[in-house]
Amino acid sequence: MMAENRVAILLISHVEALAEGARELLQQANPDVGIYACGGLDGGEMGTSVDRIEAVVNEIDPEDAILIFYDIGSAKMNAEMVQEMHEERKMAICNAPLIEGGTWRQ
Amino acid sequence: MNNEQAAQWMRQTAKMLAEHKDELSKLDQAVGDGDHGVNMERGFRAVMEGLDEWQDLALSQLMQKIGSTLVSNVGGASGPLYGTAFMRLGSAWKEVDHVDGPAWVSGMAKAVEGIAQRGKTQAGEGTLLDVWSPVAAMFDENEPDWKKIEDTAKKGMKETENMVVKKGRGALLGEETVGHVDPGAVSSFYLFQALANTMNEGGG
């Protein structure tokens, strides 16, 4: 795959263990794809946070397009806020199941 | 409303949300994730922690801080919704150090517009907008009538009981949501009740 078409996958869940577990599973299925997880709030509480999502987005190569998968609706709303704050990034929020959607292959 | 009253509004809101935390979560168990009380209490606790540090900021900056703190700390859908509302109040009040009738009109109109955009929703869909929207309409160019505003917030909250929820997890339940008050509408009622209390105590 050409470098300019690289895609990273970002998994957002209300629960850190869920995001991490999904990342582990999908990384095994797609070893060549950058898969990132963002789950829970600081302190391990359940929820999603714009700050935390933004921090993970900043870890991803700026050249990579990002496909975002989320667990429930409020995660989507926070993802949309990050998307609006970073219009310079190629970012798409996928209305697809977290695991099945994340098995997308390059 | 001046800075000190805005801070007092937040303190009252935080206190009421903490007192009603279990009630809000219980309402949310019927139509959502069951975490609304916990989320709102955590968000406004974070606002409390910031208030002392923000006391010298201009009113618009104070609103921006409250908004971004809620976005970062609430953890559920109410975070971006309430957060956007306060950030819009902040941008509407850039030129004012005291919010009067006209400033309330413009600020609340922008807040309502922000909630509608963020949640992709409109009034009548059984959300917190069913409180914010009629409350915004109660403000006019005169000094606000706080009793009327509190009554309007209460009426808006109660009316969500008869609505079919079209947004969030409740949308999956369809007609089953009729008979349940929207938890976001209830927390919004407390927010405006706290505002009315604060402004009545402070003599406007």
Side-chain angles (χ1 to χ4, degrees):
Chain A
M1 184 59 64
M2 301 287 282
E4 63 265 28
N5 289 329
R6 275 172 55 100
V7 169
I9 287 177
L10 169 56
L11 309 167
I12 303 174
S13 169
H14 280 58
V15 178
E16 188 160 17
L18 204 161
E20 274 304 323
R23 195 196 69 76
E24 201 180 324
L25 172 63
L26 295 175
Q27 192 68 76
Q28 183 173 291
N30 306 279
D32 302 329
V33 181
I35 299 181
Y36 297 81
C38 181
L41 301 179
D42 292 341
E45 284 176 277
M46 209 183 290
T48 59
S49 127
V50 166
D51 293 352
R52 283 173 69 99
I53 297 168
E54 200 181 9
V56 178
V57 164
N58 288 334
E59 282 175 25
I60 301 174
D61 189 324
E63 296 300 312
D64 287 6
I66 306 173
L67 292 178
I68 298 176
F69 295 89
Y70 61 93
D71 56 2
I72 46 181
S74 48
K76 184 186 181 190
M77 224 182 271
N78 279 322
E80 284 170 350
M81 286 199 88
V82 175
Q83 191 179 30
E84 284 168 29
M85 285 152 65
H86 293 274
E87 283 176 343
E88 79 286 358
R89 298 291 308 246
K90 285 171 282 180
M91 228 185 279
I93 298 170
C94 306
N95 291 308
L98 190 61
I99 305 294
E100 291 85 342
T103 55
W104 180 88
R105 281 172 186 280
Q106 296 202 47
Chain B
M1 182 174 73
N2 57 30
N3 266 37
E4 184 38 49
Q5 286 167 322
Q8 183 57 23
W9 173 22
M10 292 300 106
R11 285 188 210 103
Q12 278 237 15
T13 303
K15 186 165 170 273
M16 289 172 101
L17 291 175
E19 282 168 8
H20 295 279
K21 181 171 128 178
D22 293 342
E23 174 203 331
L24 290 169
S25 284
K26 204 166 168 212
L27 287 170
D28 194 28
Q29 280 163 12
V31 293
D33 309 339
D35 57 2
H36 189 61
V38 176
N39 287 346
M40 292 301 288
E41 194 269 341
R42 179 176 48 228
F44 276 85
R45 184 156 31 90
V47 170
M48 284 306 95
E49 286 163 10
L51 269 187
D52 286 343
E53 198 184 309
W54 307 332
Q55 61 184 353
D56 297 328
L57 293 177
L59 192 57
S60 75
Q61 290 172 309
L62 175 62
M63 292 295 135
Q64 294 284 356
K65 285 280 184 195
I66 293 165
S68 58
T69 302
L70 293 176
V71 165
S72 301
N73 290 281
V74 170
S78 337
L81 294 172
Y82 275 97
T84 301
F86 277 95
M87 289 192 262
R88 294 293 171 96
L89 290 178
S91 57
W93 294 343
K94 277 214 168 90
E95 309 297 327
V96 299
D97 54 11
H98 184 271
V99 183
D100 57 5
W104 276 114
V105 173
S106 62
M108 287 296 293
K110 285 208 159 61
V112 164
E113 185 189 274
I115 295 170
Q117 281 171 356
R118 177 67 51 215
K120 299 184 183 68
T121 187
Q122 52 189 343
E125 296 187 333
T127 72
L128 76 175
L129 201 57
D130 292 307
V131 170
W132 282 77
S133 182
V135 165
M138 283 309 295
F139 287 94
D140 54 35
E141 303 292 308
N142 303 308
E143 273 306 303
D145 182 334
W146 296 110
K147 173 80 174 74
K148 269 192 190 166
I149 282 159
E150 183 179 340
D151 290 348
T152 303
K154 191 174 211 168
K155 185 162 173 274
M157 167 185 81
K158 285 189 172 164
E159 283 176 359
T160 63
E161 188 172 355
N162 304 316
M163 292 174 184
V164 179
V165 175
K166 302 232 173 81
K167 293 291 154 188
R169 213 174 144 237
L172 302 174
L173 302 170
E175 295 283 340
E176 283 178 45
T177 58
V178 175
H180 296 283
V181 183
D182 175 64
V186 179
S187 58
S188 294
F189 163 67
Y190 290 133
L191 180 88
F192 289 114
Q193 191 177 44
L195 176 63
N197 289 345
T198 302
M199 299 312 287
N200 283 331
E201 283 162 17

